[in-house]
Amino acid sequence: MNRSVRTLTIGGAAAAALTLFAAAPASAETEVAEPSSFTSAFTVMATPDQVINNDGVATPGQEGATGTFDFRINSDQNIICYDITLSGVTGDYMSPAKTATHIHEAAAGKSGPPRIAFPNPVDDGSGERTSSGCMQGPFTTGVTSDAGADTGEGFTLAQIEANPAGFTGDSHTADFAAGVVRGQLTQVPVGGVDTGAGGAANASTGDSALIGAGAFGALGLLGAAGVLVARRHRRQES
């Protein structure tokens, strides 16, 4: 996670205000409509016991909290669509990045820098915090590396497709600065199983299926565990 800028509490309107003061370049990621197809899909089952601090030491997050991060990627257009749900998370967000919810480049049990910063999930009225949308790179995080560049600079979504196990999703709060929950990215079928998308999807890391976005809602089984993933909250296109 390799943070080198000041710590700030971020939440709601404060996140928007922080964006005005951050030294992010004008080419920062933009919110976009969902593309017509995706090249890959990933899920994260985030738990407090997977949290690692900047020194690579296990630092458990909030007891009882969980997170589900569902990502759909079109690496040709450098677009990532996200559905993030946090359950059992309390307190204000806090991170030196421009938001407190990220994809980090970090293998299991290791620390690493944030590469993408997502809008923080907000309470949907049920007690869960959710965030959904699509963003197109180039990406910025608001965190500066030792080399003086933003940790999102030069990052592309093709890097996730090449090594999903080398990336983790997490979120941070004031009480759990190292992370409230964390989990590794795992590749899943783009269209799920029996979606009518032209045959069975291949979930192996090396194979990317280019399938229409409408087929994604039925994301199927996550490996042998049979975990059903991806509740799609479809965005309204303007």
Side-chain angles (χ1 to χ4, degrees):
M1 289 178 280
N2 193 24
R3 302 178 185 122
S4 60
V5 298
R6 64 190 183 283
T7 298
L8 294 171
T9 300
I10 305 172
L18 177 58
T19 302
L20 297 177
F21 293 99
S27 59
E29 66 282 346
T30 55
E31 289 284 338
V32 295
E34 183 177 293
S36 60
S37 60
F38 297 102
T39 55
S40 60
F42 304 88
T43 194
V44 174
M45 309 304 288
T47 54
D49 58 294
Q50 299 181 69
V51 175
I52 303 294
N53 68 15
N54 288 338
D55 297 320
V57 177
T59 309
Q62 184 169 3
E63 184 176 359
T66 60
T68 302
F69 299 65
D70 293 322
F71 300 120
R72 296 153 304 284
I73 287 174
N74 182 316
S75 57
D76 296 328
Q77 299 180 53
N78 211 26
I79 292 175
I80 184 168
C81 294
Y82 56 91
D83 290 292
I84 301 171
T85 301
L86 301 177
S87 301
V89 172
T90 59
D92 294 331
Y93 292 110
M94 185 176 74
S95 172
K98 62 185 182 180
T99 72
T101 305
H102 316 125
I103 285 179
H104 291 257
E105 186 168 1
K110 304 293 184 180
S111 63
R115 298 302 189 192
I116 304 177
F118 298 96
N120 292 322
V122 297
D123 194 333
D124 63 2
S126 70
E128 290 187 330
R129 301 184 184 192
T130 63
S131 181
S132 297
C134 298
M135 299 192 306
Q136 184 171 34
F139 301 100
T140 61
T141 65
V143 173
T144 304
S145 69
D146 292 340
D150 188 282
T151 60
E153 184 174 327
F155 176 77
T156 66
L157 297 172
Q159 293 172 249
I160 293 178
E161 292 182 331
N163 181 31
F167 292 86
T168 186
D170 71 0
S171 193
H172 308 259
T173 63
D175 290 334
F176 298 95
V180 65
V181 290
R182 168 181 159 148
Q184 299 303 123
L185 270 67
T186 301
Q187 189 162 6
V188 294
V190 173
V193 179
D194 297 329
T195 62
N202 190 332
S204 66
T205 301
D207 297 330
S208 294
L210 188 64
I211 297 176
F216 181 79
L219 259 178
L221 301 180
L222 173 58
V227 179
L228 185 64
V229 298
R231 288 184 316 176
R232 180 67 179 129
H233 304 290
R234 289 204 169 270
R235 302 174 67 241
Q236 295 294 324
E237 295 186 11
S238 55

